[in-house]
Amino acid sequence: MAPMTAVGEEMHALVERLYPLCRSITGDGVRATLEIVGEYVPLRVHEVPTGTQVLDWTVPQEWNIRDAYIADTAGNRVVDFAASNLHVLGYSVPVSARMPLAELRGHLHTLPNHPSWVPYRTSYYKRDWGFCLAQDTLDALPDGEYEVRIDSTLTDGHLTYAEHVVPGQVADEVIVSCHVCHPSLANDNLAGIAVAAFLARALAEQTPYYTYRFIFAPGTIGAITWLARNAERVERVKHGLVLACAGDPGRLTYKQSRRGDAEIDRVLRHVLSASERPHHVAEFIPYGYDERQFCSPGFDLGVGSLSRTPYAGYPEYHTSADNLDFVSPAAMADTLAVCREAFAVLDRNRRYVNLSPYGEPQLGRRGLYDSLGGRSDAKQAEMAMLWVLSLSDGEHSLLDVAERSGLPFDTVATAAGALHGAGLLKA
């Protein structure tokens, strides 16, 4: 893979391509998004018909929009969907009417505390219509009559999601999920899509131990649909990570699974701590992104969530200020690097059994000391071998060894590999 600086620029370029598209939980914007992502990693696209029962939910009607505006009596568009797809309340029903500003106000959404920003609002499961605009724009509108037009359709169609699979040495799976339902919001959700795509590309250059399944789906209903359609596969899912808000300048935040002690939780805590990056580890709460679907009691999967500043934790969240300038190549590259480091630990975290457990085996006779000659970290590598031998009782993982010894996980894993090669350990 290219140097992380270049990869960061490539991810930002992908975000730029996706930014203008009007996405929702269904519709052509999702399909166009997946078509672009498919240029980076091959995708298997799924179309689930309206009305399909998915767990306790039903796949809704498909929403598409072509144009929308509010125009004054001179025909000037004072609010225009063509200028920003955030201007329309998501899932607005079609409207063609004239009305006074006093009546129109009931359908207008603003952010008085940030008067120059446009909010992002939706009405997925209640038939409604509306416009989002800057408070400054609203304040400048004179009383009078306005033409209101929303050229949208809400009809039976499909919910669209996609998967990309990186085959592993075993059928056990790690799922990586990101949501593809938000319109022009660069951090929430486009940075997560970009990091997921480039993480998949990086894993494909290796031969990972686990099979990695990347899920690109609309939030909530998409994850629920995937779970409903993959009940037979869920038992294969051993670990998982939801990516969101992956490109802002804040510190990294890992939200633990509902279990709190899942292996993915331990791995992310270890990697973030060992890296000495500014970070925060948050307890699970049943609100947020799709980790709450994967972690629901009936599935209880070990799925956490990685972001930078968490949802609703920054003023720009769900507003027009979450734009291309708010996300940076460096921040996305850093998020990607943490994912790669975490999965490198996860992929090598084994439990071994010491085949020579009575006393310390003679390492020199097996050439293991000789293999350390000239290494600047020879003493540390030697200690790693001794720790691995000491704790390889079938109960302790290599992560246990690293945490108890205080040694780097990579050093411990390398030592285990050498001992296994010398016939002193079995997996």
Side-chain angles (χ1 to χ4, degrees):
M1 201 165 185
M4 292 305 287
T5 301
V7 172
E9 296 289 348
E10 288 183 68
M11 287 190 288
H12 197 273
L14 174 55
V15 170
E16 286 186 59
R17 290 185 65 191
L18 297 175
Y19 186 76
L21 300 178
C22 185
R23 280 165 293 274
S24 188
I25 56 172
T26 62
D28 291 336
V30 175
R31 295 186 184 97
T33 297
L34 296 176
E35 185 175 345
I36 291 173
V37 174
E39 296 175 21
Y40 292 78
V41 290
L43 295 179
R44 182 183 178 192
V45 178
H46 305 266
E47 298 276 3
V48 185
T50 295
T52 302
Q53 190 69 28
V54 286
L55 306 181
D56 195 45
W57 295 57
T58 303
V59 173
Q61 289 190 308
E62 181 175 327
W63 183 71
N64 286 294
I65 184 168
R66 287 166 291 277
D67 193 17
Y69 60 86
I70 301 172
D72 61 21
T73 53
N76 299 310
R77 294 190 176 194
V78 295
V79 178
D80 192 355
F81 172 76
S84 170
N85 52 47
L86 295 180
H87 278 311
V88 175
L89 177 77
Y91 256 64
S92 283
V93 299
V95 176
S96 183
R98 289 184 177 274
M99 62 186 67
L101 181 60
E103 181 182 347
L104 179 57
R105 282 182 182 274
H107 294 277
L108 302 181
H109 305 269
T110 65
L111 293 167
N113 292 336
H114 296 282
S116 65
W117 296 357
V118 176
Y120 164 58
R121 299 288 183 268
T122 63
S123 186
Y124 296 143
Y125 303 105
K126 177 184 176 184
R127 293 180 75 87
D128 198 0
W129 65 270
F131 287 86
C132 301
L133 65 159
Q135 182 68 45
D136 288 343
T137 300
L138 178 58
D139 292 342
L141 294 182
D143 288 333
E145 190 174 76
Y146 290 85
E147 179 188 1
V148 179
R149 171 80 167 159
I150 298 178
D151 182 11
S152 65
T153 56
L154 195 57
T155 58
D156 287 353
H158 296 82
L159 178 147
T160 309
Y161 72 92
E163 296 174 289
H164 171 78
V165 177
V166 180
Q169 299 169 40
V170 297
D172 289 346
E173 292 188 359
V174 179
I175 57 173
V176 180
S177 173
C178 59
H179 58 291
V180 295
C181 53
H182 288 14
S184 297
L185 300 174
N187 194 44
D188 177 26
N189 57 343
L190 297 181
I193 295 172
V195 169
F198 279 77
L199 177 59
R201 288 175 65 172
L203 288 168
E205 294 175 358
Q206 309 164 17
T207 306
Y209 177 74
Y210 289 109
T211 292
Y212 286 82
R213 183 175 300 273
F214 289 79
I215 303 168
F216 300 86
T220 304
I221 187 65
I224 286 171
T225 299
W226 186 88
L227 285 163
R229 287 164 56 89
N230 290 274
E232 79 289 346
R233 178 177 286 121
V234 165
E235 64 180 18
R236 297 186 200 169
V237 176
K238 304 305 179 185
H239 320 282
L241 192 63
V242 173
L243 293 173
C245 301
D248 70 81
R251 67 181 179 178
L252 284 155
T253 299
Y254 176 68
K255 176 184 172 182
Q256 300 185 114
S257 72
R258 189 178 77 100
R259 300 179 195 172
D261 62 350
E263 191 171 344
I264 191 71
D265 301 326
R266 294 188 60 206
V267 167
L268 262 297
R269 290 196 301 259
H270 175 80
V271 166
L272 288 169
S273 177
S275 73
E276 299 185 348
R277 289 177 173 91
H279 70 277
H280 173 63
V281 175
E283 297 293 330
F284 177 83
I285 61 169
Y287 187 76
Y289 291 107
D290 285 329
E291 67 280 353
R292 68 190 197 274
Q293 311 307 332
F294 298 118
C295 292
S296 56
F299 296 109
D300 194 26
L301 299 177
V303 177
S305 177
L306 183 66
S307 62
R308 302 195 73 83
T309 307
Y311 58 88
Y314 52 98
E316 297 85 356
Y317 178 77
H318 280 193
T319 78
S320 58
D322 184 356
N323 55 33
L324 295 173
D325 293 332
F326 184 62
V327 298
S328 72
M332 285 188 282
D334 187 49
T335 306
L336 174 61
V338 168
C339 291
R340 294 182 66 180
E341 291 166 24
F343 288 163
V345 172
L346 194 66
D347 241 31
R348 294 179 295 166
N349 190 31
R350 306 274 182 282
R351 285 177 171 82
Y352 289 94
V353 173
N354 185 342
L355 297 177
S356 181
Y358 299 101
E360 182 180 304
Q362 191 174 15
L363 301 182
R365 176 163 60 83
R366 294 172 172 86
L368 292 170
Y369 281 138
D370 293 340
S371 69
L372 304 178
R375 288 180 52 165
S376 60
D377 64 342
K379 186 63 178 176
Q380 188 179 67
E382 178 187 339
M383 286 302 301
M385 288 188 196
L386 296 177
W387 271 108
V388 170
L389 287 168
S390 178
L391 295 180
S392 289
D393 51 10
E395 299 295 326
H396 293 85
S397 69
L398 295 184
L399 184 56
D400 291 325
V401 177
E403 290 180 340
R404 184 163 173 180
S405 67
L407 296 168
F409 180 88
D410 188 64
T411 302
V412 169
T414 299
L419 293 166
H420 184 267
L424 287 170
L425 297 179
K426 73 173 181 179

